[in-house]
Amino acid sequence: MHKGVIHALLAAALFGASTPFAKLLVDQVAPVTLAGLFYLGSGLGLLACFIAQTLTAGSGADRSAALTAADLPWLGGATLFGGIAGPVLLMFGLSLTPASSASLLLNMEGVLTALLAWFVFKENFDRRIFAGMLLIVVAGVLLSWEQIPVLGVPWGALAIVGACLCWGIDNNLTRKVSASDAVQIACVKGLVAGTVNIGLALALGFEMPGLSTMLIAGLVGFCGYGLSLVLFVLALRELGTARTGAYFSAAPFVGAVISLALLGEFPGPVFWVAAALMGAGIWLHLTESHAHLHAHDPISHTHAHEHDAHHQHEHEVAWDGKSAHVHPHCHLDLRHAHAHYPDIHHRHEH
């Protein structure tokens, strides 16, 4: 299995697993405060990881590619849309929308992420990938469909769709910086989003919970938001946005499985239908084979890499010739054919 697929599925598993635990906390903490604690726990935990990573890294070979000034506008936009605007719109929407409708509408994130990737950012897709994405989305809809949505004034629904659009924009903007250090990217997003959301909660008059609750929320945020986002960024680097979003759509299924286990319930027929649809969609993606003659334009960038068909450059510093390493390097004109994903080296026209 491609390592990008593994990263995306692990990211989905961690995020999906956080949902049942978030439900246990939401009765004790205001939603906007809880969102802030999740993000802040994510940022602080990853900051500790980043410091440890920096202190233990060698002089060149095993360091990750740090964020650069050119990355900041993309990361700032991703943080603004995904870490600040998205949660605020979601909280507003939840206050006006029945729970069943809200759950159904949240599945729009995967759809909007893929649509933006395909039609705005021009990421390649074919009928097989589209069909797989459609099956995964339908499975997510079935899992969240508890009753016929109650229709009313559409402001709440529009706000939730707006939140999903924000997260779709976030995912596509994050792809632009995915070659850089994934821990650093997720750390910055967590710290900024957590600080802003906690500030918003305090401004709205919500009280902070007790220390034990904050620590539990921080731990859930570190795993379900922080580590999950690190893996998501790695998957973006290796698979592109739409395919990563498709695999990440498995998160509701993971959350449902854990919820059923915690509650000791036996899943009904809808659960198994959704599981079959999601499995079929993921199978379509896993069995994809996209190969054709394509050209690589000259490019200079920095990211962790090993020497392969795309990396055949000389080195000015010592390197053992085997391990992954990071340094600025140039790609010359290259024309060849092989199976590939729309990763950081394959963003060509079709």
Side-chain angles (χ1 to χ4, degrees), residues 85-109:
V88 171
L89 284 171
L90 177 61
M91 295 307 142
F92 176 73
L94 287 175
S95 68
L96 300 175
T97 309
S100 57
S101 299
S103 298
L104 180 64
L105 289 167
L106 284 172
N107 286 285
M108 288 298 296
E109 180 186 350

Side-chain angles (χ1 to χ4, degrees), residues 241-258:
T241 312
R243 288 163 178 80
T244 300
Y247 289 119
F248 193 76
S249 296
F253 179 74
V254 176
V257 170
I258 294 177

Side-chain angles (χ1 to χ4, degrees), residues 31-70:
V32 66
T33 306
L34 187 59
L37 290 172
F38 283 163
Y39 279 112
L40 201 57
S42 162
L44 292 174
L46 291 176
L47 178 60
C49 293
F50 179 72
I51 292 173
Q53 172 183 285
T54 302
L55 293 176
T56 57
S59 58
D62 54 352
R63 285 206 305 258
S64 296
L67 288 164
T68 66

